[in-house]
Amino acid sequence: MSHHTLGATVAVAAALSLAVLGPPVQAQDTWTTQELAELRARAEAGDASAQYYLGDRYDIGLDVPEDKAEAVRWFRLAAEQGYARAQVMLGWMYRFGEGVPQNYAEAVRWYRLAAEQGHARGQFHLGLMYGNGRGVPEDDAEAARWFRLFAEQGTAGDQFLLGSMYANGEVVAQDYVEAVRWFRLAAEQGYADASLNLGLMYGDGEGVPEDDVEAARWYRLAAEQGNARAQFSLGVRYGNGEGVPRDYSEAVRWYRLAAEQGSASAQHNLGVAYDAGEGVPQDYSEAVRWYRLAAEQGSASAHFNLGRLYAYGQGVHQDYVEAHMWLNLAAARLSGGNRERAVAVRDRVAEQMTPIDLSEAQRRAREWHAAHLEP
């Protein structure tokens, strides 16, 4: 099953600065010369939040020259006062050897100090260190414990992230039941990617009993939020009558929404609908249009169907050179019976071509492949 890769943002919990030095410094994109001077003065006076933000400036080179060692110095001053965000950043610098020699044990030490204050990013990164055995013995159970604390702080994106890790077996042992649990918590907060993944889990029977109706329900929730993969998947459900009554018009509606967002799979299936006249009046020109959009994104099925329409002159002027080019590309990437079909149609087209035209078609195929598929 193909799940979404990790994409949730990590929540950052703020720590308190020393009250006697005034309120914590607030994050902002750029500082004026006067603001930067005031920030430095507060940092030099011992304000932990100011020390953290000054370190952050040096880390990324914003308003001051980038200087990783200077960033470490300010992060350390704030971290030693218990400022959790600075502890996380100091852990990061040790982990990746930025401004200090790389030292996983030191990274773990600072991550742990932040994590034990309940800081979500500290908990997450400490979990990663346990999961990868960096600075501590590898320990999946301890990794899972910290990841769980991280996700239990309630951010839907964090819960989705942990669900994805369990689904993919990344850092933690693969566990579809746990994946479903975290996806559900995130989905119930309206996180569309989590709803999509729940649809996948129910559709494949991974972590839950296979249930087409539940799969369609979760796909719909994500699709209605504009998730293109869910829109495509719901269209497939309507086209096949899986978990919903078969309804080609409804399938086309969802394919179109996903296709207009650039989904190659949806563009191809919308082309099929126009090609076959299912859910829309048959229109070969529209089929060609959608096949071409999918083909330009590398869809091998669209390559075949576009080549077929060029071969028969449906929706386009008959053009054996274009037909052979697309069919050749399809034959190179399809497999099994689909490849055999592409080869058969391509070879029938080749019988109608002159050697010069055949050479031109092969040249176009090579150039298209080099421009679109080669790294």
Side-chain angles (χ1 to χ4, degrees):
M1 180 175 72
S2 175
H3 292 287
H4 276 221
T5 55
L6 310 185
T9 55
V10 178
V12 179
L16 295 176
S17 65
L18 298 177
V20 295
L21 297 174
V25 174
Q26 298 299 308
Q28 60 188 69
D29 289 336
T30 59
W31 302 74
T32 66
T33 301
Q34 178 63 32
E35 288 170 334
L36 190 60
E38 291 173 358
L39 177 71
R40 188 179 298 277
R42 291 185 64 176
E44 289 172 347
D47 183 322
S49 67
Q51 291 166 345
Y52 167 77
Y53 281 112
L54 188 55
D56 183 59
R57 253 46 194 172
Y58 278 110
D59 183 29
I60 61 178
L62 184 60
D63 302 321
V64 294
E66 182 179 314
D67 187 331
K68 299 294 186 182
E70 190 68 1
V72 166
R73 184 171 80 86
W74 290 109
F75 286 147
R76 190 184 306 279
L77 288 169
E80 287 172 348
Q81 295 191 65
Y83 196 83
R85 294 180 73 178
Q87 291 168 341
V88 172
M89 284 306 304
L90 192 53
W92 179 277
M93 304 300 269
Y94 274 111
R95 179 178 167 194
F96 293 102
E98 296 185 352
V100 287
Q102 189 176 57
N103 187 324
Y104 291 138
E106 273 296 285
V108 166
R109 182 168 82 88
W110 290 107
Y111 284 150
R112 190 183 305 279
L113 287 169
E116 288 174 346
Q117 293 191 64
H119 190 283
R121 280 185 63 195
Q123 292 167 342
F124 176 75
H125 287 295
L126 185 57
L128 286 178
M129 300 302 275
Y130 273 108
N132 292 319
R134 299 284 176 84
V136 287
E138 186 172 335
D139 188 330
D140 286 346
E142 192 67 2
R145 182 172 81 85
W146 287 109
F147 287 141
R148 191 171 292 112
L149 288 169
F150 155 73
E152 283 173 351
Q153 295 197 42
T155 303
D158 298 343
Q159 293 165 347
F160 169 74
L161 174 58
L162 185 54
S164 298
M165 292 169 72
Y166 275 115
N168 297 327
E170 295 174 345
V171 185
V172 293
Q174 190 172 57
D175 186 332
Y176 290 137
V177 173
E178 275 294 288
V180 166
R181 181 165 86 89
W182 293 106
F183 286 147
R184 192 183 304 279
L185 286 169
E188 287 172 350
Q189 296 183 64
Y191 201 85
D193 281 346
S195 297
L196 167 68
N197 280 10
L198 274 180
L200 291 168
M201 305 294 274
Y202 274 107
D204 292 342
E206 291 180 335
V208 286
E210 187 173 337
D211 187 329
D212 286 337
V213 173
E214 274 295 284
R217 183 172 79 85
W218 288 108
Y219 284 143
R220 187 183 305 280
L221 287 171
E224 289 173 346
Q225 291 178 260
N227 184 289
R229 280 192 65 192
Q231 291 168 343
F232 167 72
S233 296
L234 187 57
V236 171
R237 293 266 159 184
Y238 274 109
N240 295 334
E242 296 172 341
V244 290
R246 177 172 286 171
D247 185 331
Y248 292 128
S249 295
E250 194 68 2
V252 164
R253 182 169 82 88
W254 291 109
Y255 288 150
R256 192 181 305 280
L257 287 169
E260 288 172 348
Q261 293 193 64
S263 166
S265 298
Q267 290 166 347
H268 171 263
N269 281 19
L270 190 53
V272 170
Y274 278 108
D275 198 349
E278 291 181 340
V280 287
Q282 189 174 55
D283 186 331
Y284 291 127
S285 295
E286 274 295 286
V288 166
R289 182 168 81 89
W290 290 107
Y291 284 150
R292 191 183 305 280
L293 287 169
E296 290 294 343
Q297 293 195 64
S299 167
S301 296
H303 291 165
F304 172 77
N305 283 321
L306 186 55
R308 177 178 54 80
L309 292 183
Y310 268 111
Y312 298 127
Q314 294 175 315
V316 288
H317 293 297
Q318 189 175 54
D319 187 330
Y320 289 142
V321 173
E322 280 291 293
H324 193 281
M325 181 196 80
W326 291 114
L327 291 166
N328 211 13
L329 289 167
R333 299 181 58 233
L334 292 172
S335 60
N338 289 329
R339 182 182 185 280
E340 291 175 4
R341 187 179 175 203
V343 169
V345 178
R346 181 198 65 190
D347 290 349
R348 286 201 299 273
V349 168
E351 292 172 359
Q352 310 300 315
M353 299 171 68
T354 66
I356 292 176
D357 285 345
L358 184 58
S359 177
E360 172 63 15
Q362 292 168 340
R363 182 190 66 79
R364 291 185 192 179
R366 286 193 302 271
E367 290 184 356
W368 193 96
H369 186 277
H372 295 82
L373 300 178
E374 291 182 2

